[in-house]
Amino acid sequence: KGKKTPSRPFVWTVAGGPEYRKQSGMLLAKWESLGLFPVMVIALEQETADNICAAGFNAVVWDDEKHSYSRVADSKFTVAAELAERNIKGFFLELDVFCRKNPLPFFESFPDDDLIHPGHGDVNFFPNIGMYMVSTRMGPYFRGLNKIMAFSKTERNYINQVNHTRDFFDQDAYTHCLPAIEDHDDDIAPSEFSYYLMNDTKQENNILKLCKNEVKFTFKTVHHTFINCLFPPSVYDNTICIHPLAGAPFTPLAYKHATAKFLGFDPLPIGKDERMVKMAAGDLTTNECWGHTFYHGEEKIDGITGERVALYVSTLITIARETNRTVVLPRFVRDKESWAYPLHGVLDVRRIDVPWRWLTKEESYRLEDETDMMVSPRDPDKLLKEVKQHDTSRILAIDGMCKLTSPSNERREELNKGLCFCFDRRGLKFTKSIGSWDNMCNCGPLPQ
């Protein structure tokens, strides 16, 4: 109070729970490397705030009572209102937004709009509340959202809102209360999206009273050629950020992170001295050995050939573990008809206990001069011994792993220890296309 209003927007995010507590330092460091700094983290627990501060970043504990189904939703809207009421422009983004460049300059290129947000990739005019810029006129709007969200405090089942109950998800409240389309630019979108979940007339009228905007404002939806969140996002050369699996908001962060890594938005840059091991072939298949990894089943993948896939993956991970390397995973597993199954539809990536990454084509080309090739022997244990002889190689590409012979049952269990595969689940067939990435391999809660 009493100080000059800062010209730079106040940048903030929200973090809470074990997953975000563990990964927040890495994600904030990535933002800092892009120039998005400083950032204030609204921490939902003291332990999360302590971890973030210990990593050298800024955090404040959100100790307000729970007003809706979610303290995340409460904080997202309340902080936006508090900033606006203090004449401070705010820029919010969630920690599961992965960026290649600092998004702030792009959002600041729309100085005449009071509320700016990206669209969803599949419906590019539909607001994505994972990121938004808020002017100092937006306090009443966000206070109205808090009133709507209070209805969901007693009914916190997210599924209910699909059936038009009184349980309002934060995305619904935000979208529902936007002004009519005639108040905005012609290129925004049809106005029907504002009420797409409202079927009950009485309910709709009551909610409209709560979000009646006291101040007329303008908003802009940034089209998906810049920021996208499809399943998976469509990435262009000018894509700044992605919000993977935004349509499945309760998806574990590990899966969102895996999707981002797959698409070239890995928040961990390749280390100067980082050593890697990978298969020479790009996708995981046995085609180069005149065989096939999968057969095209109706509901599942053949258990025998599934064992072969597990053998390749577990052997690579074991090599990485015993040689202190990062494992470069194949992106797809291909069946005999060349259907591509994303590897994280087959393997629960949360259970990999070594550093791992995917390489983009550009990264592979850039590192080609530092890559050594070796031919795999047929015995997995002999392969491990030979890899240790290439200790000076920065990147080791192994050719012919499809020729590995199956080890004993005891040795196979040892290689697979800690890993979990999903070869026999019904949802696997839905992962064979580029879509449906919410059908990722999930073997249940992680062991303590």
Side-chain angles (χ1 to χ4, degrees):
K1 288 186 176 181
K3 295 184 178 180
K4 184 179 178 181
T5 302
S7 58
R8 179 186 183 275
F10 182 90
V11 183
W12 58 285
T13 187
V14 177
E19 265 201 306
Y20 285 86
R21 186 183 307 141
K22 180 179 179 181
Q23 301 293 339
S24 56
M26 172 189 67
L27 300 173
L28 291 167
K30 176 64 176 180
W31 290 356
E32 183 177 13
S33 72
L34 299 175
L36 188 62
F37 184 84
V39 177
M40 175 61 74
V41 181
I42 310 300
L44 302 184
E45 310 93 9
Q46 184 66 52
E47 186 179 356
T48 298
D50 293 343
N51 285 10
I52 292 169
C53 292
F57 300 100
N58 310 300
V60 60
V61 179
W62 179 260
D63 58 1
D64 200 2
E65 66 173 297
K66 186 176 179 180
H67 297 292
S68 73
Y69 77 100
S70 167
R71 295 180 73 235
V72 174
D74 292 347
S75 60
K76 284 169 65 171
F77 294 158
T78 303
V79 173
E82 295 271 356
L83 291 173
E85 291 165 357
R86 285 163 173 75
N87 204 32
I88 300 174
K89 195 173 184 178
F91 180 64
F92 168 77
L93 69 167
E94 294 179 343
L95 270 173
D96 60 1
V97 172
F98 299 87
C99 299
R100 281 201 187 112
K101 294 182 285 187
N102 183 352
L104 191 55
F106 176 74
F107 277 78
E108 290 183 304
S109 67
F110 303 100
D112 298 328
D113 293 286
D114 297 302
L115 180 63
I116 310 160
H117 43 244
H120 283 268
D122 46 351
V123 188
N124 60 31
F125 58 79
F126 193 87
N128 180 347
I129 63 170
M131 181 188 295
Y132 47 76
M133 178 89 82
V134 180
S135 80
T136 57
R137 292 157 43 85
M138 296 303 297
Y141 170 77
F142 282 97
R143 291 298 186 194
L145 299 186
N146 277 334
K147 293 178 182 178
I148 292 179
M149 293 303 297
F151 281 113
S152 66
K153 185 174 183 180
T154 57
E155 296 184 43
R156 60 187 307 274
N157 183 359
Y158 169 52
I159 302 301
N160 285 347
Q161 62 98 18
V162 179
N163 299 321
H164 313 293
T165 71
R166 57 182 285 177
D167 181 21
F168 287 96
F169 192 42
D170 51 0
Q171 174 75 66
D172 306 335
Y174 183 101
T175 308
H176 181 78
C177 286
L178 290 175
I181 196 65
E182 55 266 22
D183 295 337
H184 308 292
D185 297 340
D186 294 336
D187 65 343
I188 298 300
S191 60
E192 296 82 27
F193 70 89
S194 293
Y195 311 106
Y196 85 112
L197 282 175
M198 305 300 162
N199 279 356
D200 186 302
T201 304
K202 182 178 179 181
Q203 174 178 288
E204 179 177 324
N205 290 336
N206 288 336
I207 297 302
L208 280 172
K209 293 177 182 178
L210 291 176
C211 66
K212 184 177 180 180
N213 298 309
E214 300 174 13
V215 178
K216 186 176 180 180
F217 65 89
T218 61
F219 72 90
K220 181 178 288 294
T221 304
V222 180
H223 287 190
H224 66 80
T225 51
F226 293 95
I227 302 176
N228 192 294
C229 44
L230 196 55
F231 290 84
S234 298
V235 176
Y236 305 90
D237 290 340
N238 61 344
T239 301
I240 300 173
C241 306
I242 59 171
H243 194 191
L245 299 172
F250 300 115
T251 301
L253 176 63
Y255 292 146
K256 297 179 180 182
H257 187 188
T259 307
K261 291 170 75 168
F262 187 98
L263 294 163
F265 287 78
D266 194 336
L268 275 179
I270 297 176
K272 183 178 180 181
D273 300 319
E274 183 176 351
R275 302 190 311 148
M276 308 177 205
V277 60
K278 65 176 186 175
M279 295 176 63
D283 294 340
L284 204 163
T285 176
T286 56
N287 289 349
E288 67 269 31
C289 294
W290 300 100
H292 299 286
T293 304
F294 289 159
Y295 81 96
H296 184 48
E298 184 64 27
E299 292 184 352
K300 65 179 182 179
I301 292 176
D302 183 7
I304 298 176
T305 52
E307 288 182 5
R308 298 293 300 170
V309 174
L311 175 62
Y312 306 149
V313 173
S314 62
T315 300
L316 266 180
I317 292 175
T318 300
I319 290 172
R321 185 185 304 114
E322 297 194 16
T323 60
N324 196 27
R325 292 177 179 267
T326 297
V327 60
V328 178
L329 294 176
R331 291 173 177 268
F332 293 101
V333 180
R334 293 190 178 273
D335 68 8
K336 66 179 182 180
E337 296 180 1
S338 290
W339 283 108
Y341 298 79
L343 182 66
H344 43 335
V346 175
L347 169 68
D348 190 336
V349 294
R350 301 173 303 160
R351 297 169 183 265
I352 301 176
D353 63 353
V354 298
W356 64 275
R357 65 171 67 250
W358 280 296
L359 293 180
T360 64
K361 288 183 179 179
E362 292 76 14
E363 289 168 338
S364 295
Y365 292 149
R366 178 165 53 86
L367 296 169
E368 191 170 356
D369 291 341
E370 300 179 74
T371 301
D372 293 332
M373 184 82 69
M374 67 166 287
V375 178
S376 174
R378 298 181 66 87
D379 180 73
D381 291 323
K382 188 176 181 181
L383 170 60
L384 177 59
K385 292 179 181 179
E386 292 191 13
V387 166
K388 291 180 178 180
Q389 296 175 7
H390 291 76
D391 191 54
T392 58
S393 300
R394 180 175 179 200
I395 303 170
L396 185 61
I398 305 173
D399 192 23
M401 285 189 67
C402 58
K403 299 178 182 178
L404 288 175
T405 55
S406 297
S408 65
N409 291 338
E410 183 179 357
R411 179 55 173 158
R412 183 185 298 113
E413 290 180 4
E414 186 178 349
L415 289 171
N416 290 339
K417 186 178 181 181
L419 300 178
C420 183
F421 297 87
C422 298
F423 298 116
D424 58 351
R425 67 188 182 95
R426 293 177 61 87
L428 183 57
K429 66 178 180 179
F430 297 109
T431 69
K432 67 187 179 185
S433 66
I434 196 65
S436 300
W437 276 36
D438 51 339
N439 287 292
M440 294 188 180
C441 178
N442 185 336
C443 296
L446 295 175
Q448 293 297 323

